[in-house]
Amino acid sequence: MSDSTRMVLHAFAALADLGEEIAETSDFEEMVRSALHVVLGAMGIRRGAVAEFDREHDALHFVAARGYDEELARDFSLTPRQHTSKGNGNGAGSLTHALQDFARVEHEVHDRFAGAGVEVVTPLVVRGELVGVILLGGKASGESFTQEDRELARALGRHVGVGLHNHRLLREVARRAEENQRLYESLKGSYNDTVRAFAAAIDCKDKYTQGHSERVGKYSEIIAREMGWKDEEVEAIAIGGYLHDVGKLVVDREIINAPYRIDAKQSSELNRHPAAGYEILRPINHPFADIPLMARYHHERPDGRGYPEGLTDEQIPAGAKIVSLADSFDAMTTDRPYRRRRTFDEVVADFRRNAGRQFATPVVLALCRALLKEARGETRPRQMMRLLGRDYVEERTLPALEQLIADLESGPHTTVMQA
Amino acid sequence: MTELPETPRPSQGPGEVAVVYAGDYVNKMSGQRIERECLTRMERGCRALVINFRDTELVNSIGVSILLGVIDEAERRGARVAFSNVSLHTLKLFELLGLTRLVVLADREEDALATLEEFSTTPPGH
């Protein structure tokens, strides 16, 4: 085999090695180090370095170096451009731009590292953009670089350039994803603030139920979590709780604030609020589905005696069933102008009576379990106890609650209910 | 391809000669192993290294680069490197790439050791 054939075979093998290193090495710096090894080993060069070209800051960032550790700083700022274009501004340039960039970089690298024995600077150009350079020191053979050596360096450089370019794209994708995430969080924060503001506006209209919407949101969240719903579903049900009474904004204030039991006509007017709430919420592009339905159906009952549509158990959305119980639970446990709040014993008795009728049994069960855990101090923070008041759930009432849980668990309607 | 054990000889004291076996395929992984062993020996004071290629069938580009790095490091530390038992195919490659200009070449490990023993007993600067 002739020497030239042997060198060509070695170069081919080097190209294959390089492709493998670029494709299979996940660590960027390790990939560049290996690529540099391949280039140096392909031509028998003792020293070399790979630098990324940062067009934005007009600088070189050395990613890997062999034998130049002391001479090469991590970053290398180029002399500011004079009368040269900065390209088209979107990062992708023409080959002319790449060559202009390279001419400057090559010139400065030679100036700066002449003493360090840099003999060849190879551009790494991808899609008309200079992405980096390879600096090559002298050959171990002591011979000068031939035209073939330079061609081989360029051929290997194209692969290294693609590796650098891909890494740059990945970094950009990661940066944009992070930016989008921040934007999303910020939008979500604004949305949540708006929801809270709405809830406050709803409750302001009703002087006797201050904080009702917020409490319904909290209870709904606790029930959903107890039922094993996922985080985003829990977040959605809380929003549903906050907004369930938004339709009251269109109901006459006199009716909402009547300090007596309202008559049939007034009741009919009040009962418009679920449908009105749905109409208000429907055009809004909520981050969670079903929120308008939670408002529309939070007065439906599994036994079909609810309103506005008289749906039965399976027809009522799961979220609406939770909001319905949270709403009633808050109504039972807060004072109203025409009655005092119920005792916890009475609430437990109501749950027993109405599970499967007014309220979905799995939802009642979840609320009872959550209450019991909080009362026993098994969950922190004790959000419901804080909302209900420290002494509302007395120790003596817990056996009745435990018995109710046991009875509901052994009953027929305790299948797990998903969002 | 099989790898040889990392420490074929007991560790040497300062000034002694160390032998490192290259294995059958000198690539990134085995090259890094050779580099590690050579650096460890030099850190312990070894001033002469023999890299024995008796089982080596192939050296790829990364392997060549790592060997050049070992030679550079040895030079920096004032140590010498010998290659022994190099096959004709590998020898030709080393010649074309200029490695043979930088190391002592010996047909057998014993010959390399003898040449380097001479070097290692000569104090630096003489």
Side-chain angles (χ1 to χ4, degrees), chain A residues 169-182:
Chain A
L169 287 179
L170 282 176
R171 265 192 321 216
E172 183 61 17
V173 167
R175 190 186 64 76
R176 289 196 182 175
E178 210 173 278
E179 205 173 282
N180 283 344
Q181 183 63 30
R182 272 201 303 274

Side-chain angles (χ1 to χ4, degrees), chain A residues 43-223:
Chain A
M43 289 181 280
I45 298 167
R46 300 180 72 171
R47 294 170 152 205
V50 176
E52 242 189 319
F53 176 57
D54 178 351
R55 190 165 228 285
E56 193 184 341
H57 299 101
D58 212 18
L60 290 179
H61 303 297
F62 284 97
V63 187
R66 232 280 304 287
Y68 283 127
D69 303 1
E70 287 159 23
E71 290 92 337
L72 297 185
R74 191 94 183 139
D75 292 329
F76 171 87
S77 294
L78 300 173
T79 310
R81 288 184 181 90
Q82 286 177 340
H83 314 299
T84 54
S85 161
K86 274 224 171 195
N88 57 15
N90 62 7
S94 66
L95 191 58
T96 313
H97 280 130
L99 292 176
Q100 279 173 356
D101 282 334
F102 176 61
R104 289 175 56 238
V105 171
E106 185 183 32
H107 179 72
E108 290 210 29
V109 165
H110 277 306
D111 268 7
R112 188 82 66 99
F113 300 116
V118 173
E119 293 191 14
V120 170
V121 183
T122 302
L124 307 178
V125 177
V126 179
R127 291 181 184 172
E129 188 188 355
L130 183 71
V131 295
V133 288
I134 306 181
L135 278 55
L136 299 173
K139 289 166 74 174
S141 63
E143 294 163 358
S144 301
F145 279 88
T146 62
Q147 191 52 38
E148 286 78 15
D149 290 331
R150 290 171 198 273
E151 290 296 333
L152 176 59
R154 283 206 182 91
L156 293 168
R158 275 195 284 277
H159 288 261
V160 181
V162 169
L164 288 182
H165 184 68
N166 287 348
H167 176 69
R168 189 177 284 187
L169 287 179
L170 282 176
R171 265 192 321 216
E172 183 61 17
V173 167
R175 190 186 64 76
R176 289 196 182 175
E178 210 173 278
E179 205 173 282
N180 283 344
Q181 183 63 30
R182 272 201 303 274
L183 191 64
Y184 171 72
E185 293 298 333
S186 157
L187 282 174
K188 207 163 77 170
S190 303
Y191 173 80
N192 288 341
D193 289 347
T194 308
V195 165
R196 284 198 176 84
F198 253 98
I202 299 159
D203 292 346
C204 265
K205 194 161 183 187
D206 184 347
K207 66 180 179 183
Y208 297 113
T209 59
Q210 296 283 311
H212 169 70
S213 298
E214 187 164 351
R215 287 193 298 275
V216 172
K218 287 265 181 248
Y219 292 139
S220 300
E221 185 183 330
I222 291 165
I223 296 168

Side-chain angles (χ1 to χ4, degrees), chain A residues 3 6-7 10 14 17 21 25 30 34 37-38 40-47 66 140-142, chain B residues 25 28 32 59-62 64-66 68-69 71-72 75 89 92-93 96-99 101-102:
Chain A
D3 289 353
R6 202 179 290 276
M7 280 305 282
H10 182 63
D17 292 339
E21 289 300 327
T25 313
E30 174 62 23
S34 298
H37 268 309
V38 171
L40 299 182
M43 289 181 280
I45 298 167
R46 300 180 72 171
R47 294 170 152 205
R66 232 280 304 287
S141 63
Chain B
Y25 179 31
K28 183 175 168 183
Q32 285 172 339
V59 182
N60 78 355
S61 53
I62 300 186
V64 168
S65 176
I66 291 174
L68 280 168
I71 294 166
D72 267 0
E75 265 185 27
H89 172 79
K92 205 69 198 152
L93 182 71
L96 287 168
L97 296 171
L99 274 75
R101 295 176 70 242
L102 310 171

